[in-house]
Amino acid sequence: SQQGEEDPQALSIQEGENATMNCSYKTSINNLQWYRQNSGRGLVHLILIRSNEREKHSGRLRVTLDTSKKSSSLLITASRAADTASYFCATADTGRRALTFGSGTRLQVQP
Amino acid sequence: DAGVIQSPRHEVTEMGQEVTLRCKPISGHNSLFWYRQTMMRGLELLIYFNNNVPIDDSGMPEDRFSAKMPNASFSTLKIQPSEPRDSAVYFCASSPSGGGVTEAFFGQGTRLTVV
């Protein structure tokens, strides 16, 4: 079963704008990860944030984690057309060593 | 490394036929995962191996599905007999440790169509 729900399901923005995606989950976690999936391709890991971290940066990516609210957000700054893809959050639940994926957000960046 | 390699990339089969999907994980990774992706259900974990041993197969839909990992460099997912509702993209992923601890590396997937 899916752990997380992502919001919004779809997002369309102009190149140069920021894109924010949110993820909610239900259980206790060790870490939360974000993945990108281009159409017809496999998933690619973007960033991992541990349960004791609140914020993490990687290039144009910024991830926040609020374990009290069981939620995370992914911010992509200065978006590019190449960022067009689906983005998934995945949780590493305590006691389980396999990832559980959310439903994903489809991001369209218009050039 | 070439990454996780799955074969075939596409498979079209008739209902009732046996289907075998193959996966070669990244060398040195000791965890392997099979996921299924559909529009309706998203990404579902089917089974997880650690050091070639099945650890969690609670996601396997029914007895028609079986998975093996005879050695550290090869795994198969078999569906027998196949049904139209099995149509999906099947992903294999590997991880240097439990995928929940570190990142998982995904293959390109096998798109299965059962007619």
Side-chain angles (χ1 to χ4, degrees), chain A residues 11-21 36 59-62 74-85 87 107-111:
Chain A
L11 179 62
S12 182
I13 60 174
Q14 296 295 123
E15 213 167 22
E17 294 180 340
N18 296 341
T20 300
M21 289 158 264
R36 182 184 72 204
R60 294 184 296 113
L61 305 180
R62 173 179 170 255
L74 171 68
L75 168 67
I76 304 174
T77 61
S79 64
R80 305 166 181 169
D83 295 329
T84 295
Y87 291 82
L107 174 66
Q108 177 77 39
V109 181
Q110 306 286 351

Side-chain angles (χ1 to χ4, degrees), chain B residues 50-83:
Chain B
N50 190 50
N51 293 325
N52 312 339
V53 175
I55 301 299
D56 182 354
D57 65 355
S58 60
M60 296 287 263
E62 48 198 274
D63 292 345
R64 298 185 297 106
F65 285 68
S66 62
K68 294 183 179 179
M69 192 165 187
N71 56 63
S73 59
F74 185 65
S75 177
T76 60
L77 178 68
K78 185 177 294 186
I79 308 173
Q80 164 66 15
S82 58
E83 297 182 4

